[in-house]
Amino acid sequence: QVQLVESGGGLVQPGGSLRLSCVASGSILNMDSMGWYRQAPGKQRDLVARIISGETANYADSVKGRFTISRDNAKNTVTLQMNSLKPEDTAVYYCNADLILRREHKYRAYWGQGTQVTVSS
């Protein structure tokens, strides 16, 4: 019914860049915020960046100045441009969206399957 599909992960050297993309599909009536979270092995899942429809963004302190989140409401897409990548950025990155379906009466949170980002020389 709702599908969040991430893409763009992979291997990159320290200092390099990657751009992650997440596309939401389904009978979506409206989307509130969309965001990116990440989880390294043995670690908790933490917020990376989040953006509302008006494109006001919130970033984790560890990525401020390096990552940029954006969204295309017409395409139900959120992207994460990651620059100056560091080894500590290595994690599985998950897309999240708060949205309401046409047949529902309240917003719910949905998650993508995750995409691996590995920063290593």
Side-chain angles (χ1 to χ4, degrees):
Q1 188 175 14
V2 176
Q3 187 82 4
L4 302 182
V5 180
E6 302 103 330
S7 62
L11 292 168
V12 65
Q13 293 185 335
S17 298
L18 285 175
R19 188 170 77 95
L20 306 183
S21 179
C22 173
V23 180
S25 62
S27 299
I28 301 171
L29 179 63
N30 192 47
M31 299 183 67
D32 187 18
S33 63
M34 301 185 73
W36 289 94
Y37 293 71
R38 66 187 181 187
Q39 186 171 26
K43 305 296 173 75
Q44 65 182 19
R45 186 177 298 185
D46 294 324
L47 171 71
V48 177
R50 197 163 189 87
I51 188 169
I52 62 175
S53 296
E55 299 194 358
T56 299
N58 182 43
Y59 297 91
D61 289 341
S62 60
V63 307
K64 286 182 178 178
R66 299 189 297 120
F67 291 9
T68 302
I69 189 171
S70 61
R71 64 188 291 171
D72 185 333
N73 293 328
K75 298 180 179 180
N76 292 328
T77 300
V78 61
T79 62
L80 184 69
Q81 179 66 47
M82 304 186 293
N83 298 326
S84 301
L85 283 163
K86 305 174 180 179
E88 51 263 43
D89 294 318
T90 297
V92 177
Y93 284 68
Y94 295 91
C95 177
N96 168 261
D98 293 331
L99 58 85
I100 184 170
L101 300 177
R102 298 183 189 278
R103 299 178 181 178
E104 294 183 329
H105 64 280
K106 64 180 180 180
Y107 284 83
R108 298 181 185 274
Y110 295 88
W111 294 88
Q113 79 286 353
T115 184
Q116 177 71 48
V117 172
T118 302
V119 184
S120 176
S121 60

